[in-house]
Amino acid sequence: MAETKELHWLSIGEASQLIEKKELSPLELTRAVLERIRAVDGRLKAFVTLLDKEAEAAARTAEESIRRGHYLGPLHGIPVAIKDLYDTAGVKTTSCSKLRASYVPKEDCAVVRKLREAGAIILGKVTTHEFAFGFDSPPTRNPWNLDCTPSGSSGGSGSALAAGMCLGATGSDTGGSIRAPAAVNGIAGIKPTYGRISKRGVAVLSWSLDTTGPMARTVKDLALMLRVIAGHDPLDETTVDILVPDYAAALTGEIRGLRVGVPKNYFFDDVQPPVAEAVRAAIKALESQGASLVEVSVPNSEYLLPTFFSIVIPEAASYHQKTFRERGHEYGEDVRGLLETGEVFLATTYITAQRSRMAFKNAFRETFRGIDVLATPALPVTAAKVGQATYRFRDREEPVFGAFARFCCPFNLVGLPAVSVPCGFSPDGLPIGLQLVGKPFDEASVLRAADAFERTTDYHTRRPRL
Amino acid sequence: MIQAQRVTGQDVDHVAKVAGVNVAAQDREDIAARLSELRTAVMQMAGRIPADSGPSVIFDARWED
């Protein structure tokens, strides 16, 4: 294990306490993280654009401000990385596509604006799958095994966090793009309730499924970031005007009486054995902390994945329609194939999928009458090797895209909040994620359960050898 | 059965013409397979929900204010 006391390994919670007490300078912290990036990112390639000078200047300003007594809160002076899907004023925002190679937004997106207002230090932009349409983030590698991908689409964020190249990061999640990289990189990530965080200024993949959200190394750090970036945005009509609670205050470590749903079907089918074992053990750990386990079943589960694809594909094709017709050959091969599919997709299939989605929403509403959170594997598998196309289960091959979306996308379909937290490692040293899902806008319970679990383990403190 | 026939690469080509797009020749068979699979699954699921149930996302003529 690497030394865990180095500044770049501090959590946001730890660093913010030191900064508030003026025992740690934001400039010192930012320089330590930039030094870490210089040391390891040549191998990991998580950063698309490094804003080292700007970050140092912002850290100096933060330091001055705090010295004068203007401490803004737990993100003040904290170095964070931004997924390259998020607009950043005056900084290239490429969506990791040739098509946006020279796009420089004039304004920050809503989330980046909130982060800056809270005093966070923007280190730079990190990779995404092209336009977030895939579970890989080339050329970025997984710090736990450089032959593996960091998944995606927020793979740059996952890799950067796991390697100590930032203390927090932003992600976006349409079918698992925060939770999958969180799981395979051994960090935490939350897809909040649809409508909880503004998406204004973040490139669209699918209007009715997209969510933005935080990624970090601890659940408390997710809570601190979520408090800052959540909230109604009058300029994003999908956001909901509902109170944003103090999520960190909800992390009491106390989960006695919490009703944890354990799926009888679907979520443990075709799961790699080490993943199933780790997740079952995590569920037992929740029980031993006083949670009560409730068996639940998910009706029509075999149709979750096709319903998801029947929505995301045509919505993405609609967003890209003009560009695709003019410059279709400039998309990567996989994204081009998906957009072509969307162009020839029947409207009736799309609308019928939206009708099915309502049935799934009603089914989950019923399920959540008897439980507070649902526990599942975040993914059925550990990280894929670079270039790997499929996973093998007993009697079938499953494409990587399907395997990574299978357990995550149901909660984009129904809009519920879901977190992935580290819950173990496979025998070959790859991280495994536990997914905890909550009721609409009840991110607090999801984070409370995840934090209570995290307190019983050391998975989130383990570091990859680089 | 309305959905008995599988979509072929040639079908994709025809629909692409209707849509006014070019679909790369090497992608047609994959797209055909994907369309067949999704259409079949979505129609099977539709058979399990009430015939008059609407979508969760409604595009209608409401004004917000």
Side-chain angles (χ1 to χ4, degrees), chain A residues 182-328:
Chain A
V184 306
N185 289 291
I187 56 115
I190 184 166
K191 177 207 92 68
T193 312
Y194 186 83
R196 179 53 103 181
I197 306 181
S198 176
K199 296 178 286 185
R200 180 165 50 91
V202 179
V204 171
L205 174 53
S206 166
W207 291 280
S208 74
L209 295 162
D210 290 346
T211 47
T212 50
M215 299 167 75
R217 283 192 289 269
T218 70
V219 174
K220 182 178 179 186
D221 290 358
L222 293 182
L224 294 172
M225 287 184 76
L226 186 59
R227 178 84 193 271
V228 167
I229 64 178
H232 179 238
D233 176 358
L235 298 177
D236 176 352
E237 61 188 14
T238 66
T239 58
V240 177
D241 194 0
I242 186 170
L243 179 81
V244 177
D246 180 351
Y247 297 110
L251 310 184
T252 59
E254 177 56 67
I255 56 165
R256 266 178 295 186
L258 188 81
R259 298 167 302 169
V260 177
V262 183
K264 280 191 283 195
N265 65 327
Y266 187 68
F267 287 99
F268 287 94
D269 299 341
D270 285 341
V271 175
Q272 289 176 341
V275 174
E277 281 166 33
V279 173
R280 296 267 188 215
I283 292 169
K284 275 227 165 295
L286 291 170
E287 186 181 30
S288 68
Q289 288 177 271
S292 55
L293 305 187
V294 182
E295 280 204 327
V296 297
S297 58
V298 182
N300 300 313
S301 52
E302 66 272 36
Y303 299 114
L304 284 162
L305 200 54
T307 303
F308 165 74
F309 281 125
S310 298
I311 293 171
V312 68
I313 290 172
E315 288 195 9
S318 174
Y319 174 71
H320 287 278
Q321 195 165 42
K322 183 171 183 291
T323 315
F324 181 73
R325 282 152 194 260
E326 292 167 356
R327 302 169 63 186

Side-chain angles (χ1 to χ4, degrees), chain A residues 82 86-89 108-117 122 170:
Chain A
I82 305 297
Y86 283 59
D87 278 359
T88 38
D108 283 333
C109 67
V111 166
V112 168
R113 188 174 176 171
K114 284 187 170 191
L115 287 170
R116 285 197 210 271
E117 285 170 357
I122 309 297
T170 61

Side-chain angles (χ1 to χ4, degrees), chain A residues 11-165:
Chain A
S11 68
I12 295 174
E14 290 165 339
S16 66
Q17 279 186 3
L18 295 171
I19 288 173
E20 185 178 14
K21 289 190 279 183
K22 301 189 182 69
E23 290 172 15
L24 173 64
S25 125
L27 187 57
E28 186 188 359
L29 176 62
T30 300
R31 282 180 172 160
V33 175
L34 288 169
E35 191 53 42
R36 176 68 173 173
I37 294 169
R38 288 184 198 107
V40 299
D41 199 42
R43 279 166 284 160
L44 293 169
K45 297 181 171 55
F47 279 83
V48 180
T49 303
L50 185 62
L51 301 169
D52 46 359
K53 289 187 181 65
E54 294 88 340
E56 283 203 24
R60 212 171 275 118
T61 304
E63 187 170 291
E64 250 329 283
S65 177
I66 292 165
R67 195 164 47 219
R68 289 199 308 268
H70 302 301
Y71 180 66
L72 296 172
L75 297 193
H76 202 170
I78 300 295
V80 299
I82 305 297
K83 185 176 182 179
D84 208 25
L85 214 59
Y86 283 59
D87 278 359
T88 38
V91 176
K92 264 198 301 190
T93 298
T94 70
S95 297
C96 290
S97 176
K98 279 184 202 167
L99 290 147
R100 297 230 173 134
S102 53
Y103 169 56
V104 180
K106 289 193 175 69
E107 288 181 11
D108 283 333
C109 67
V111 166
V112 168
R113 188 174 176 171
K114 284 187 170 191
L115 287 170
R116 285 197 210 271
E117 285 170 357
I121 310 298
I122 309 297
L123 292 164
K125 307 297 287 291
V126 285
T127 56
T128 167
H129 195 97
E130 183 179 24
F131 288 111
F133 211 171
F135 284 106
D136 189 2
S137 309
T140 308
R141 298 296 173 109
N142 188 315
W144 293 96
N145 181 337
L146 296 178
D147 293 332
C148 290
T149 82
S151 183
S153 62
S154 313
S157 304
S159 176
L161 281 160
M165 295 194 281

Side-chain angles (χ1 to χ4, degrees), chain B residues 12-28:
Chain B
V12 169
D13 208 23
H14 290 150
V15 181
K17 275 186 196 134
V18 175
V21 291
N22 290 317
V23 171
Q26 69 270 26
D27 294 344
R28 283 175 201 152

